[in-house]
Amino acid sequence: MAMTAPHRNSLQRCRVALEQDLQPDSLFSYLIQESVLAVDTVDEIKLEGTRLKKSQKLLDILPTFGDHAFHVFCLALGETGQGFLSDLIQQDVLESSQDVASPYQGRENLVKILAEELKHYYLETLSRVYPIPWCDWLEVDLQHIFTNLVIEETNR
């Protein structure tokens, strides 16, 4: 699932600032832990060599992983002392959503945006279960879990 337009556009508009100040090596563990990036993807990014090239590669790849990746990226920035970058892109998302809304629809539009964000969060994060708690790599989507129902007749 690709990232929605507000998040993708925010990353694009803030790209120069992100490329200049982003310390991508400090984000990788967090992004792997939260299942945004695979170890192979991180290894591919690390092959880029310079910090700038790694940042560019990460910013190229990140939008392909959906809105969950955007939120985890923002959290990772905050956890690694780069919260100013998180604030920058989140503020950009808010400002761009306000630019689209008319003065009379500001609150209604904000509620719709927040509802959409929650919907994506629930779909991306809370729709998975770990059937074996100690195997964090074994993840099952709730859509793939089902029970065959049997109707039994009893004499009552």
Side-chain angles (χ1 to χ4, degrees), residues 1-10 63 66-67 70 116-117 120:
M1 174 188 291
M3 197 174 282
T4 56
H7 295 139
R8 188 178 57 248
N9 293 342
S10 179
D67 287 333
F70 180 86
E116 193 65 29
E117 292 291 325
H120 284 293

Side-chain angles (χ1 to χ4, degrees), residues 15 18-19 22-28 31 37 41-62 73:
R15 187 169 178 114
L18 287 168
E19 287 177 355
L22 186 65
Q23 299 296 324
D25 289 328
S26 63
L27 302 175
F28 293 143
L31 295 173
L37 297 180
T41 307
V42 169
D43 290 342
E44 181 182 324
I45 294 170
K46 286 182 177 179
L47 289 175
E48 293 298 321
T50 67
R51 183 199 57 77
L52 177 62
K53 292 286 187 187
K54 290 178 191 177
S55 297
Q56 290 169 338
K57 182 79 167 182
L58 177 61
L59 293 171
D60 288 341
I61 291 174
L62 201 59
F73 179 65

Side-chain angles (χ1 to χ4, degrees), residues 2 8 16 21 25-26 28 34 37-38 49-51 77-78 81 100 107 113-114 116 125 128-129 137 139 146 151 156:
R8 188 178 57 248
V16 172
D21 296 327
D25 289 328
S26 63
F28 293 143
E34 297 300 320
L37 297 180
T50 67
R51 183 199 57 77
L77 288 170
V100 173
R107 276 194 177 190
I113 291 169
L114 292 173
E116 193 65 29
T125 306
R128 296 183 198 98
V129 294
W137 52 267
E139 172 180 289
F146 61 93
I151 299 175
R156 285 204 222 171

Side-chain angles (χ1 to χ4, degrees), residues 3-4 11 21 33 53 57 60 64 66 70 72 77 79 82 88 90 95 107 110 114 125 133 135-136 139 153 155:
M3 197 174 282
T4 56
L11 288 175
D21 296 327
Q33 172 187 310
K53 292 286 187 187
K57 182 79 167 182
D60 288 341
T64 64
F70 180 86
V72 171
L77 288 170
E79 292 290 322
Q82 302 175 69
L88 175 72
Q90 289 180 336
E95 287 174 0
R107 276 194 177 190
L110 184 60
L114 292 173
T125 306
C135 293
D136 59 350
E139 172 180 289
E153 187 176 329
N155 295 329

